[in-house]
Amino acid sequence: MADPQSRLIIDLKAISKHYGAGETRVDALRGVDLEVRSGEVVALLGPSGSGKTTLLNIIGCIIDPTEGRVWLDGEPVYENRWLRDDLRRLRLDKIGFIFQFHNLLPFLDAKDNVALVLQLAGKSAGEARRRAIELLDYLEVGNRKDAMPALLSGGEAQRVAIARALANSPRIILADEPTAALDSKRAGIVMDLLRKLAAEQDACIVAVTHDEKIYDRFDRLFHLRDGRLEDQEGSKA
Amino acid sequence: MNLAYRDVRHNLFRFVLTCLGLSLLMAVVLAMMGIYNGLVADALNIVRAPQADLWVVEAGRQGPFAESSKIPGATRDAVARLHGVSDAGSITYQTVEAAFAGKTLRLYIIGYERGHPGGPDVVVEGRGIGQSHFEAVADRKSGLVIGDRIALGRNRFEVVGLVEDAMNSGGDPVLYVTLADAQTLQSQLAPPAARVLEARGATGESGDTVAAVIARVDANADVDSVARTVRQWKHLSAMTQAEQEDLLVRSVVDRARRQIGLFLGILLTVSAVVIALIIYTMTMEKLKQIATLKLIGAPDRTIIGLIVQQSIALGAVGWAFGLMLILLIKDYFPRRVLLEPINATALAGIILVVCILASGLGIRAALRVDPATAIGG
């Protein structure tokens, strides 16, 4: 469990999200409250259509909520007419994404996949590459820095994707089924790595997962059902 | 980091293959432009070769190219004596088919008077006609070489010189002979036909007729004034060089010119559609990557740059390959393919505009991609 004195990074209050109107209206989320502090690793669980991805998208500044308030790293989001470009900048600076199938750009090698995010944030090409190689070394895939994504194993590709997510030292890391493409041994390694990084970087991690084998790696598990956050439980002592 | 370049490098084989396909299309467009130019240039070359200021032809005729014209050979002397005329020459034109080396050559025979206007302008190989009879200067496209002997009518002519780019509007290569030989060729009948005519007591018409008399006018003389003087002879008509050229372009090659022009327009339209489809498809195949780029915080200009740069690269490489291809094969076309720098430049401009417009479709699709598409596999 995270230190109660740690900073509140994600603060959602009464979040609702509706799609459509009238008879075709779908309530994807209904009055969700969620607080996640720095250093915490939490999981969103629930069946398909329960609203996990919608919640992840709202935290990731990809879609805006119909109702409710979102605070990320102490900053109110979607208030005072946030523009699309402001949200993009927020994603670039404060949020890192890890995907189920790594989603590395196939035309860039491992180090450039990481360096791209740094360059987008304004780093020079040389500086970005140096930092990218450091990150890859840290994640123990430095020897594969020149390999194209198609030539990386599943575990290697996911480590490169984690390096990319961490490149700009984000405060929030959002992971969508981060271990779905990995065997149980590698899934455990990746989750331990994410926990370590969250602690070191003072960031929080929110992961959507169905992988029961890694539930014990989370600080808290949140269950979503029909758009409601039904319960929450501490997993790790 | 140039994403467009990296993507192209990653899919190089596919990119080159697409460019090659596009370049074939570009080569066809350039070929049509060249054929169009060649058609007009060939037609005008024939008119411009004698470097005449005035064309004297049969009254009521638009000769000698748009219509046939036949005037007495002595007309040359009358025209040469006119005030302001510095030189005049009689000239004849006729198309013949002659057997040579087991093939049939279609030739455009020009008969001219040595020492007067009407002969070949520049002999690129060999020499000009030096004897009164049985020598010829041929266009290189005829396939004849110096020393070849070709039978025309009952006589054999030796090729003593070669010229280039001398063809009529139908694409038949020119063969220059002396006026006397050309007149003989025009009037000479096959022996049986001549015997029949002689048996009937007919003598046939005089062989001393020409298609036109071309005149050069003194620098200080007024061409229109000389033309007006010629027209006072009721059996003659006169056209200035500009009128002759205008007549040729308006009437003789006009239909072919419009036909090729229309086909060129269709080809350009097809090319534009093909380029647009290629670029759109290329973008649609990258939607997941574009969604990922958006999700990790890439600004719109990075995504627009990726699409626009790739489409311009595609157009530029396709254009360059197409240009190289047509420059390599243009001399193998049966008709002259005349490519001017302005044609290649104009096509480059058109392709650039088409590529930018076509990328607009791709950009529209790319900017509408929801970054959330990247999440959820």
Side-chain angles (χ1 to χ4, degrees):
Chain A
M1 181 74 75
D3 179 0
Q5 299 304 313
S6 57
R7 280 182 63 189
L8 191 57
I9 304 286
I10 299 172
D11 185 6
L12 308 185
K13 290 276 186 295
I15 294 295
S16 296
K17 179 68 183 177
H18 311 147
Y19 295 106
E23 288 181 1
T24 59
R25 172 171 153 155
V26 175
D27 294 319
L29 291 175
R30 306 177 207 204
V32 171
D33 294 323
L34 178 68
E35 290 184 357
V36 185
R37 295 182 170 274
S38 60
E40 268 194 305
V41 180
V42 304
L44 296 177
L45 313 176
S48 272
S50 60
K52 301 185 301 291
T53 305
T54 303
L55 187 56
L56 208 65
N57 285 343
I58 288 174
I59 301 170
C61 303
I62 298 166
I63 57 172
D64 54 338
T66 313
E67 290 165 18
R69 287 173 53 223
V70 178
W71 288 67
L72 298 178
D73 197 24
E75 197 171 3
V77 185
Y78 302 115
E79 291 176 13
N80 303 322
R81 291 172 171 239
W82 277 63
L83 298 174
R84 202 163 65 101
D85 201 50
D86 300 327
L87 296 172
R88 176 193 70 76
R89 192 73 220 183
L90 189 72
R91 281 203 300 273
L92 183 61
D93 293 339
K94 294 196 173 174
I95 304 172
F97 291 89
I98 300 170
F99 309 94
Q100 182 176 353
F101 296 106
H102 64 73
N103 283 23
L104 295 173
L105 295 172
F107 50 85
L108 297 180
D109 61 26
K111 70 171 176 309
D112 283 340
N113 259 290
V114 180
L116 174 66
V117 185
L118 290 156
Q119 278 191 257
L120 289 173
K123 297 272 193 304
S124 70
E127 198 181 344
R129 286 214 175 128
R130 267 195 305 279
R131 168 86 176 128
I133 292 168
E134 276 172 23
L135 275 167
L136 293 173
D137 283 338
Y138 180 71
L139 292 165
E140 297 174 1
V141 277
N143 60 327
R144 305 290 281 146
K145 66 179 189 298
D146 296 320
M148 300 306 279
L151 300 175
L152 296 171
S153 69
E156 287 171 338
Q158 198 59 305
R159 278 165 184 263
V160 175
I162 292 170
R164 180 176 66 182
L166 297 174
N168 285 326
S169 305
R171 306 307 311 274
I172 302 162
I173 295 168
L174 301 178
D176 181 46
E177 303 277 6
T179 58
L182 304 176
D183 58 45
S184 56
K185 186 182 166 198
R186 287 184 193 283
I189 292 170
V190 165
M191 282 312 300
D192 288 343
L193 184 63
L194 287 175
R195 289 192 60 79
K196 184 179 158 200
L197 294 170
E200 283 178 3
Q201 300 208 0
D202 208 22
C204 67
I205 297 177
V206 178
V208 166
T209 185
H210 289 103
D211 191 352
E212 291 180 14
K213 296 187 294 293
I214 59 167
Y215 283 180
D216 60 343
R217 256 74 174 197
F218 291 98
D219 295 320
R220 287 188 289 161
L221 302 175
F222 291 92
H223 289 267
L224 270 160
R225 199 177 303 277
D226 297 332
R228 288 197 177 87
L229 210 54
E230 283 193 337
D231 55 357
Q232 67 180 66
E233 58 189 76
S235 176
K236 287 188 88 76
Chain B
M1 194 180 303
N2 188 308
L3 298 183
Y5 167 70
R6 296 303 193 83
D7 190 31
V8 166
R9 203 175 65 172
H10 180 63
N11 296 301
L12 190 61
F13 179 71
R14 191 176 160 197
F15 181 79
V16 169
L17 214 60
T18 310
C19 284
L20 280 178
L22 195 58
S23 69
L24 292 176
L25 202 57
M26 296 295 104
V28 176
V29 173
L30 285 165
M32 289 311 295
M33 285 178 166
I35 291 168
Y36 178 94
N37 289 340
L39 181 80
V40 176
D42 283 345
L44 291 178
N45 265 0
I46 285 293
V47 181
R48 287 173 182 165
Q51 298 177 324
D53 296 313
L54 198 67
W55 292 76
V56 179
V57 296
E58 186 180 344
R61 294 276 186 165
Q62 308 265 38
F65 304 104
E67 288 182 288
S68 66
S69 161
K70 196 178 274 188
I71 57 176
T75 306
R76 191 201 77 80
D77 296 327
V79 172
R81 284 196 299 271
L82 288 175
H83 179 70
V85 173
S86 60
D87 199 358
S90 296
I91 199 160
T92 64
Y93 297 96
Q94 78 181 110
T95 303
V96 299
E97 287 199 347
F100 179 77
K103 291 188 292 186
T104 301
L105 288 185
R106 193 171 164 82
L107 298 167
Y108 191 56
I109 307 281
I110 299 179
Y112 73 101
E113 292 178 285
R114 287 189 300 134
H116 294 290
D121 187 22
V122 178
V123 178
V124 294
E125 195 179 331
R127 58 172 175 80
I129 294 173
Q131 294 181 15
S132 303
H133 294 289
F134 313 132
E135 283 191 349
V137 170
D139 179 81
R140 209 188 278 280
K141 280 244 170 177
S142 65
L144 296 168
V145 295
I146 292 176
D148 278 347
R149 295 176 70 81
I150 181 168
L152 297 171
R154 293 186 208 167
N155 302 309
R156 295 180 74 80
F157 289 75
E158 183 183 354
V159 177
V160 296
L162 295 176
V163 292
E164 283 180 344
D165 300 334
M167 271 171 277
N168 69 0
S169 58
D172 304 323
V174 162
L175 188 81
Y176 288 99
V177 297
T178 62
L179 182 68
D181 284 344
Q183 286 174 322
T184 305
L185 197 60
Q186 276 182 334
S187 58
Q188 201 171 48
L189 294 171
R195 281 197 297 275
V196 170
L197 204 65
E198 197 176 340
R200 285 180 179 167
T203 54
E205 59 183 69
S206 163
D208 188 19
T209 57
V210 296
V213 169
I214 51 178
R216 288 180 188 152
V217 174
D218 291 330
N220 55 356
D222 179 19
V223 179
D224 292 324
S225 165
V226 179
R228 276 196 300 276
T229 308
V230 172
R231 287 185 200 118
Q232 285 174 356
W233 289 318
K234 299 297 180 195
H235 66 296
L236 296 178
S237 177
M239 274 182 278
T240 64
Q241 176 69 17
E243 287 169 341
Q244 186 67 266
E245 286 182 18
D246 184 51
L247 180 70
L248 203 70
V249 173
R250 267 194 305 106
S251 68
V252 179
V253 295
D254 181 60
R255 192 164 292 175
R257 200 169 61 105
R258 277 192 290 147
Q259 177 106 342
I260 293 174
L262 186 65
F263 189 57
L264 185 59
I266 293 170
L267 261 181
L268 279 171
T269 309
V270 170
S271 305
V273 171
V274 168
I275 290 171
L277 277 176
I278 289 173
I279 292 166
Y280 187 69
T281 309
M282 273 166 58
T283 309
M284 296 308 280
E285 285 172 354
K286 278 200 282 282
L287 284 188
K288 179 96 178 179
Q289 294 161 32
I290 288 167
T292 304
L293 276 169
K294 285 178 150 185
L295 195 66
I296 63 175
D300 287 350
R301 66 172 180 280
T302 303
I303 292 155
I304 292 169
L306 170 70
I307 297 167
V308 172
Q309 286 167 20
Q310 275 192 356
S311 38
I312 290 176
L314 186 75
V317 176
W319 172 84
F321 280 3
L323 184 61
M324 277 193 283
L325 184 64
I326 196 63
L327 288 176
L328 283 173
I329 62 170
K330 74 183 175 71
D331 291 333
Y332 297 101
F333 277 70
R335 286 211 60 161
R336 190 145 70 108
V337 177
L338 181 64
L339 269 177
E340 305 279 1
I342 185 71
N343 300 133
T345 312
L347 184 62
I350 291 169
I351 296 303
L352 180 69
V353 171
V354 166
C355 283
I356 290 171
L357 289 178
S359 6
L361 282 175
I363 288 167
R364 189 164 170 267
L367 293 184
R368 290 170 74 168
V369 172
D370 187 351
T373 316
I375 296 179

